[in-house]
Amino acid sequence: MRTPRPRSLAGQLFAMQVVLVAAIVGGFALFSYAMDRSQAEETARRQTTAAAAAVADHPSVVAAVRSADPTALLQPYTERLRKDAGVDFVVVMTPDGRRWTHPEPGRIGHVYLGHIDEARKGRTVSETYTGTLGPSVRTVAPVRDGSGRTVALVSAGITIDKISEQLGRQVGALLGMAGAALALGGLGTYVVNSRLRRHTHGMNAAELSRRHDYHEATLHAVREGLLMLDGQRRIALINDGARELLGLGPDAVGRNAGGLGLPPGLTGALLGSEPRVDELHLTAERVLVVSTQPVVGGERRGTVVTLRDHTELQSLTGELDSERGFTRALRAQAHEAANRLHTVVSLIELGRVGEAVEFATAELELAQVLTDRVVTAVGEPVLAALLLGKAAQAGESGVELVLTDDSRIDDGVLPPWLPARDLVTVLGNLIDNAVEASSAPGPSRAPAVPSPRGDARSPAGVAPSRSAAGRPGDAAGPAAPAGHTAHTGAAGTRPRVEVTARADEDELVLRVSDTGPGLGPGEAEAVFARGWSTRGPGRGLGLALVRQAVHRGGGTVEATRSPCGGAEFTVRLPLRTPEAAL
C-alpha cells in the first residue's frame, strides 16, 4: 500500500493558522461572554440597589408602614416603581420578613425568601438567591423612621432569566463579530499560504529541510565557483570556490557586482543581461572561464554565474606549446643536420677532404660554443632548456637570439615561491612575442645580407653577445635555415632578439628586447590587457598571462623602447621575502 505523501508546508501552515485563528477568536468570545455576564450581574446589582434605596428613602413609605393598611398604599407605588426602574420585583416587608407588596398579589402576606438578618441590623445587602420568581439578583435595604429605627425592609431584584436574556442578545452580536473575524482571518491565511505554496512549490517541511541540507552541502563541495546575483546585481549567494577565485571576503553577500574591484571585462560579464558561455577572463592571479545564465520567471530575477579556474590548464597549454616548439625545432635541426651531412659527403666525394673537415669542425664548434654559453650562464635547468629550444625556434624563423654577457643564474638561487612553470610562462611568452615581432616583414624591411661564408649553414641556436669577440658567429650570428627568409629590423639590421637573465641576492631580472616595430604611444600599458594584439582577433593572451604570473611572484613588468629599435620588456621578481630582506 502506498504511503500517503505528507501535507505540503503551505497546507500545514494553513491548517495551523486556521486552528490558531479559531482558538484566538473562540477564546476571545469566551472571555467576552464571561466579562459580559459579570458586568450584567454587576449592573443588575447596582440597579436593584438604586431601586431599593429609592423606596427605603421615600417619606411616604414610612407613613404607609404606620397606616392601618400598608398594602393598599404601598402596592400601587412599588408596582409603578418596578416598571419605571426596570426591575422584576419590589417587595416591602415587615422587619420579620412578612410581605406587604409583591408583583404577584397572591403572595402578599407570605414570608420573604432570602436573607434579611444584615438588613434588619441596618445594612444594605445584595445577593443572588432563588425565590418565588426563580434565581435572581436582589438587594435588601432597611426603612428607617425619624429616630433611625428600622420599621420595614425593602427588597428589589432582577431575575437571572432576564439577565441571561440580555446577555444572550449581546452574545449573539459577539458571535457574529467572532464569525466575521474568523472568516476574515481564514481568508487572509488562505491568501498568504497560496503565495507561500507557489514559492515553496508545494513541498512539505521535511522536503524543504532536506533540500536545504543538500543545497548547503553541494554549495560547499563544488570546487567550481558559483555566484548568484539578484535583480539589482547584488550578490545573493556565493560559495567557497567563488570567494577564492574572485578574492572576496566573508562580507561579499549583499555587495553590488560592479563594486567588487574586478577587472572591467569580468565586471561587464557579471553585469550583462545576455547569457554567456565559457568566456575567458583574467583576474590579477587567475584565468577564469565564466558562464552566465539569467534567471527569468515573468520578470528578471537575477543571474547565475559559474566560474572555472583555467589557470593550471592555461599553464599546461603553454608548456605543451613549448614542447611542440621544441619538437619543431628538433625537426628543423635534424633537417639542417642532414643537409650539412650531405655537404660533407659531397666535399669528400669531390676530393676536397680538407674543406669537408673544416666545414664539419666549424659547425660542431659553433654548436658546442652556443650550448656551453647557455649552460654556463644559466644554471637553472628549466630556463636553460627553454632558451635552447626558443633559440632553435628563432633560428627557424630567421631571427638571431642573443644571450647577453651579463646573464647569470646559478642553480638553486630561485626560491620555492617562484615556480619554474611561472618562469616558463613569463620568459617563453616574451621571447615568442619578440621573435614574432622581429620576424614579421614590414614596408621598411629588406632581405638581409647573406653570411660572408655564403652557405647559410650556421645552426640555429643562442648566439653569444656581439661584444664577445673571437667566437664563431660574432660577425653576423647564425643565418636562417633553408626555406626561411631573414628580414632586416627597423634599423636595417638582421632580425634579432636579446635576452638577459640575471639573478643576484635580492632580485631576478628577465629582459627581452627585439628589433621589431616597437610600441606606439600609449601602448606600454595596453599591451598587457587581454585581447590586445597586432596579429588580429583571437590573440592577445600571452602578455596578460605574463603580468598575471609576475603578479603572483610579487614582481613588476615594464614595457619600454628597446635600444635595438623595437620593444623591450623587463621583469623584476624578488628573490627574498620582505621579512628576509629586513
Side-chain angles (χ1 to χ4, degrees):
M1 182 177 179
R2 184 177 180 182
T3 304
R5 184 176 181 270
R7 186 186 295 271
S8 67
L9 177 62
Q12 294 177 7
L13 289 178
F14 177 73
M16 292 173 58
Q17 289 173 342
V18 167
V19 171
L20 181 61
V21 170
I24 292 175
V25 172
F28 177 74
L30 290 176
F31 175 78
S32 299
Y33 174 80
M35 291 296 296
D36 288 348
R37 184 176 184 86
S38 176
Q39 291 177 358
E41 291 181 354
E42 181 63 25
T43 301
R45 188 172 291 108
R46 289 196 298 267
Q47 189 174 355
T48 57
T49 300
V55 173
D57 294 340
H58 201 281
S60 63
V61 174
V62 176
V65 168
R66 291 177 177 176
S67 66
D69 189 5
T71 300
L73 297 175
L74 294 175
Q75 179 70 10
Y77 169 71
T78 56
E79 284 298 300
R80 185 171 65 253
L81 180 64
R82 178 182 69 83
K83 295 176 181 179
D84 294 341
V87 296
D88 290 322
F89 64 88
V90 176
V91 175
V92 181
M93 68 192 85
T94 63
D96 58 359
R98 190 170 299 279
R99 303 187 187 100
W100 280 326
T101 65
H102 195 276
E104 296 178 0
R107 297 186 181 276
I108 296 175
H110 292 257
V111 178
Y112 173 78
L113 300 180
H115 301 93
I116 60 174
D117 293 339
E118 293 294 327
R120 293 172 63 180
K121 295 177 182 179
R123 290 191 289 271
T124 302
V125 61
S126 298
E127 65 175 349
T128 300
Y129 194 84
T130 302
T132 58
L133 299 179
S136 62
V137 175
R138 58 182 66 184
T139 299
V140 181
V143 178
R144 297 183 180 90
D145 59 8
S147 61
R149 184 170 60 90
T150 301
V151 296
L153 299 177
V154 178
S155 175
I158 298 176
T159 61
I160 298 297
D161 291 340
K162 186 174 182 180
I163 296 175
S164 298
E165 181 182 354
Q166 296 175 352
L167 186 61
R169 291 194 295 269
Q170 296 178 353
V171 169
L174 176 64
L175 291 179
M177 295 178 60
L182 182 61
L184 184 60
L187 179 61
T189 301
Y190 175 79
V191 172
V192 171
N193 282 274
S194 297
R195 184 177 180 85
L196 178 62
R197 184 179 293 107
R198 289 196 301 271
H199 285 290
T200 59
H201 302 285
M203 291 185 291
N204 56 48
E207 291 173 334
L208 286 174
S209 177
R210 183 167 58 252
R211 178 164 294 192
H212 175 267
D213 294 339
Y214 279 111
H215 170 271
E216 288 295 318
T218 303
L219 192 65
H220 294 287
V222 173
R223 296 186 60 188
E224 288 76 12
L226 180 62
L227 186 68
M228 296 185 183
L229 307 176
D230 60 17
Q232 286 71 42
R233 303 298 191 276
R234 295 173 301 195
I235 297 179
L237 185 145
I238 184 172
N239 72 342
D240 299 337
R243 292 181 193 272
E244 180 181 358
L245 293 177
L246 297 179
L248 301 178
D251 60 341
V253 176
R255 296 177 59 186
N256 190 279
L260 299 177
L262 300 175
L266 181 55
T267 301
L270 297 181
L271 298 178
S273 59
E274 69 282 353
R276 300 167 185 257
V277 179
D278 292 343
E279 283 192 359
L280 202 63
H281 291 274
L282 274 72
T283 64
E285 297 183 358
R286 298 180 185 274
V287 180
L288 301 180
V289 178
V290 180
S291 298
T292 65
Q293 180 62 47
V295 179
V296 180
E299 59 181 7
R300 181 177 179 83
R301 297 182 178 177
T303 305
V304 176
V305 183
T306 60
L307 307 168
R308 300 198 306 275
D309 191 359
H310 201 61
T311 308
E312 296 294 327
L313 181 58
Q314 189 67 42
S315 180
L316 292 175
T317 302
E319 292 184 13
L320 179 59
D321 291 339
S322 297
E323 295 297 333
R324 289 173 177 170
F326 295 160
T327 303
R328 290 194 299 268
L330 290 175
R331 187 181 299 114
Q333 287 182 339
H335 180 71
E336 291 300 310
N339 289 339
R340 298 182 190 112
L341 181 59
H342 291 159
T343 302
V344 172
V345 171
S346 298
L347 289 173
I348 293 175
E349 288 178 349
L350 293 174
R352 305 174 69 172
V353 178
E355 294 184 14
V357 172
E358 180 184 358
F359 177 81
T361 303
E363 296 300 330
L364 291 175
E365 182 181 357
L366 179 59
Q368 187 62 42
V369 167
L370 299 177
T371 302
D372 291 343
R373 173 80 180 100
V374 173
V375 174
T376 301
V378 182
E380 175 62 38
V382 175
L383 292 182
L386 175 68
L387 287 171
L388 289 173
K390 293 300 180 183
Q393 290 179 254
E396 186 180 0
S397 300
V399 178
E400 179 185 10
L401 191 71
V402 176
L403 185 65
T404 60
D405 288 340
D406 59 343
S407 296
R408 184 74 182 182
I409 300 179
D410 295 329
D411 190 13
V413 302
L414 298 183
W417 63 81
L418 285 181
R421 175 178 297 177
D422 283 354
L423 296 180
V424 169
T425 298
V426 172
L427 194 55
N429 279 290
L430 291 180
I431 292 177
D432 287 343
N433 287 347
V435 170
E436 187 174 358
S438 298
S439 62
S444 62
R445 293 172 180 164
V449 179
S451 172
R453 300 178 60 172
D455 49 20
R457 62 182 183 275
S458 298
V462 179
S465 173
R466 292 186 180 275
S467 61
R471 290 183 177 177
D474 286 347
H484 292 272
T485 302
H487 301 279
T488 58
T493 62
R494 183 182 177 189
R496 175 187 178 92
V497 173
E498 290 188 359
V499 178
T500 299
R502 184 180 68 253
D504 54 25
E505 293 183 357
D506 299 322
E507 189 176 57
L508 171 66
V509 178
L510 301 176
R511 181 178 293 110
V512 178
S513 59
D514 59 68
T515 58
L519 300 176
E523 292 181 346
E525 180 63 26
V527 294
F528 297 105
R530 176 182 175 269
W532 189 95
S533 177
T534 60
R535 304 296 179 183
R539 307 289 297 275
L541 185 60
L543 289 178
L545 294 177
V546 167
R547 183 164 67 173
Q548 190 180 75
V550 171
H551 183 272
R552 282 197 298 267
T556 61
V557 57
E558 181 183 12
T560 58
R561 185 72 177 176
S562 169
C564 301
E568 181 177 271
F569 291 85
T570 302
V571 174
R572 300 181 184 276
L573 294 167
L575 297 180
R576 292 200 297 176
T577 61
E579 292 79 5
L582 291 175

